[in-house]
Amino acid sequence: MEHITQNVDEWIRRDTKAITELVSALVQCQTPSPPGDTRGAMILVEKFLSARDLSFKRVTAEDTMPNLLSTIPMATEGRHLMLSGHLDVLPAGDEPGWHDDPWRGKIVDGRIWGRGTSDMKAGVAVMLFSYYYMFQLRKYLSGRLSLALASDEETGMGRGTGHMFTQIPSEMEADCVLSPEPSGTEAITFSSKGYLQFNVSVATRGAISGYPNQSPSAIRIAADIIRDLDELENISAELPPSIKGLLEDAHYREWYNAMYGEGSAEVIPAISVNVGTIAGGSSPSVISPGCFFEVTVVTPTGMDPEVVFKEAKAIVGRYPEAQIEFEGADIGDISATDHEMPVILQNVVTKLGWPKPKLTPDIAISDLRYWRYRGIPGFWYGPDGDNVSAANENVEIQQVLHLVRTYVLASVQYLQEDSSL
């Protein structure tokens, strides 16, 4: 194993500038979702793979949202390890406080700046270079290593990883999946919360503003419904034992809040209701005849979103002027905490001189759910994500290089043919 580690260190030193510039170039390929057009970023990915004689294929539901799968067969048969990531990112530009163009990909002060740096253009670069280095080490290994890059992760409408599972299910099956989603380098994420999305429309007769006797206001009714939907947060949930046990530890909760922000540990078992968009009315002089709003409810791991939607329907049903429409839902997903991959990651990270990462549940949703739902273990280990949805998102270059080392060495251990390597 020592000579492999030396080779990897040498390759990373040689490629440090190239790794950094690839992250920056991927940020400059604007891929906000919506609309989720990732074609420019996918061209960069395909050029990277082609230049290194790494074969791939597209498995695409919509032309503007390409997906890619590439697989390296090792020297002998064995297990299948999958690297999973996405090219789309959250929108940017409306948040206050940006000190530069969010799509510039500026490299300064040991960091790369811009929307998508941590979620997850840096992660894509980590996977690409790790995948290439593993290709060079394939004669020492057994099994297969695959790279799955998807679009449509941020909106989660099934046109990315979900589509690949529909089209090439046998090729997407794996023994374990890793993803450099922004967990923070002191954490390995083993679960995600679920979500429920629905919209509510309110319709009334409408009238001139001075005649409230002629019509109620659709906006006022919508406001009352939004207030009442807070009742959903009172529904109790039974957490899986692996999550419940962690949160019962006061020291763990203190660490978790320090890692992810005060109050984060308390959010893990809670239901949260968010009204993301609202539209209504045509004039301040008219009692609004219509109002429409969209809601996302984030549910604890282990809770059935249908239970929450049934209660939401009952709440909206109190108002005869209103209708509710289901948009989508995913139950929270989880992997066993006693799987060997977290142990491998922890050992690799500590040998590299970094703090031992703790196993953590997460709030955010990822494409790992497609594997976890099928009983395939999947884990995040990625950069810090403090500003993922805020101004001045950035990633530390040293973290990116650390992640490349970690992914290669952990993958080697998982796929090694001979434990004496």
Side-chain angles (χ1 to χ4, degrees):
M1 189 71 180
E2 184 177 349
H3 71 283
I4 289 179
T5 302
Q6 290 173 349
N7 283 340
V8 173
D9 285 343
E10 181 181 336
W11 294 336
I12 291 174
R13 283 193 295 269
R14 178 196 67 195
D15 294 334
T16 293
K17 183 179 179 182
I19 295 169
T20 303
E21 290 180 347
L22 178 58
V23 178
S24 176
L26 286 165
V27 172
Q28 292 171 50
C29 293
Q30 300 182 28
T31 58
S33 185
D37 187 337
T38 63
R39 287 174 291 182
M42 185 61 82
I43 288 172
L44 280 184
V45 169
E46 292 177 344
K47 285 182 177 179
F48 180 96
L49 296 173
S50 296
R52 292 159 179 81
D53 296 322
L54 294 163
S55 62
F56 58 86
K57 64 180 177 182
R58 284 196 182 190
V59 187
T60 298
E62 294 188 12
D63 290 343
T64 60
M65 299 180 179
N67 309 306
L68 177 147
L69 181 70
S70 178
T71 298
I72 302 169
M74 302 303 172
T76 58
E77 291 186 0
R79 299 188 291 191
H80 185 195
L81 178 62
M82 178 80 72
L83 305 180
S84 168
H86 61 90
L87 293 173
D88 58 327
V89 301
L90 293 171
D94 293 334
E95 313 92 333
W98 281 102
H99 57 50
D100 203 349
D101 179 352
W103 307 110
R104 182 179 168 189
K106 181 173 66 175
I107 303 169
V108 67
D109 297 332
R111 295 176 179 269
I112 310 155
W113 299 78
R115 174 59 80 234
T117 44
S118 56
D119 185 20
M120 59 176 305
K121 297 295 179 66
V124 171
V126 166
M127 288 190 295
L128 287 171
F129 274 93
S130 300
Y131 190 68
Y132 169 52
Y133 296 158
M134 290 293 289
F135 176 69
Q136 295 178 280
L137 297 170
R138 65 192 183 280
K139 67 180 180 181
Y140 302 110
L141 305 172
S142 62
R144 289 180 291 156
L145 177 68
S146 290
L147 172 71
L149 281 175
S151 302
D152 194 37
E153 191 270 352
E154 297 292 358
T155 51
M157 300 301 290
R159 295 165 293 191
T161 302
H163 177 72
M164 289 195 281
F165 264 103
T166 300
Q167 298 299 310
I168 51 170
S170 62
E171 296 176 66
M172 296 296 288
E173 295 287 338
D175 293 290
C176 185
V177 187
L178 288 177
S179 180
E181 290 275 11
S183 62
T185 56
E186 294 185 29
I188 299 168
T189 296
F190 67 91
S191 73
S192 294
K193 295 181 73 171
Y195 79 96
L196 162 69
Q197 290 180 331
F198 59 85
N199 63 60
V200 176
S201 55
V202 182
T204 63
R205 173 188 178 277
I208 297 175
S209 59
Y211 293 89
N213 58 306
Q214 293 183 353
S215 175
S217 166
I219 290 177
R220 282 182 175 269
I221 293 171
D224 290 341
I225 295 171
I226 291 170
R227 177 202 62 212
D228 291 353
L229 286 173
D230 284 346
E231 296 172 20
L232 298 176
E233 297 182 350
N234 297 325
I235 301 173
S236 61
E238 183 63 31
L239 292 175
S242 58
I243 298 177
K244 185 178 180 181
L246 289 173
L247 296 180
E248 287 175 345
D249 184 331
H251 294 294
Y252 182 86
R253 291 198 308 273
E254 183 179 359
W255 171 84
Y256 195 95
N257 286 333
M259 180 78 175
Y260 294 108
E262 192 61 38
S264 293
E266 289 68 34
V267 171
I268 291 295
I271 294 173
S272 58
V273 179
N274 176 60
V275 177
T277 69
I278 187 167
S282 59
S283 167
S285 299
V286 174
I287 295 173
S288 173
C291 190
F292 175 88
F293 60 92
E294 295 176 299
V295 180
T296 293
V297 182
V298 181
T299 56
T301 308
M303 168 167 276
D304 184 353
E306 288 296 328
V307 173
V308 181
F309 186 62
K310 182 179 180 180
E311 183 62 27
K313 285 176 65 177
I315 292 170
V316 175
R318 300 171 191 168
Y319 300 86
E321 303 89 349
Q323 291 186 332
I324 186 171
E325 182 179 5
F326 177 82
E327 291 186 343
D330 270 319
I331 194 169
D333 49 87
I334 190 168
S335 293
T337 54
D338 59 357
H339 189 268
E340 66 182 288
M341 182 55 79
V343 177
I344 290 173
L345 286 169
Q346 288 171 332
N347 289 339
V348 167
V349 170
T350 53
K351 285 180 179 178
L352 291 173
W354 290 60
K356 181 180 180 180
K358 298 179 185 291
L359 280 161
T360 63
D362 208 289
I363 296 166
I365 297 160
S366 81
D367 275 357
L368 285 192
R369 69 189 188 278
Y370 291 104
W371 286 277
R372 288 172 177 165
Y373 289 161
R374 291 167 168 83
I376 299 169
F379 304 92
W380 303 358
Y381 184 66
D384 295 340
D386 294 344
N387 292 333
V388 163
S389 59
N392 302 320
E393 182 179 350
N394 67 88
V395 65
E396 186 181 347
I397 294 171
Q398 287 304 313
Q399 275 197 359
V400 178
L401 303 180
H402 163 70
L403 289 167
V404 176
R405 286 189 182 90
T406 300
Y407 268 68
V408 176
L409 298 178
S411 299
V412 165
Q413 287 195 30
Y414 187 77
L415 297 176
Q416 63 187 358
E417 182 181 5
D418 182 351
S419 59
S420 67
L421 281 175

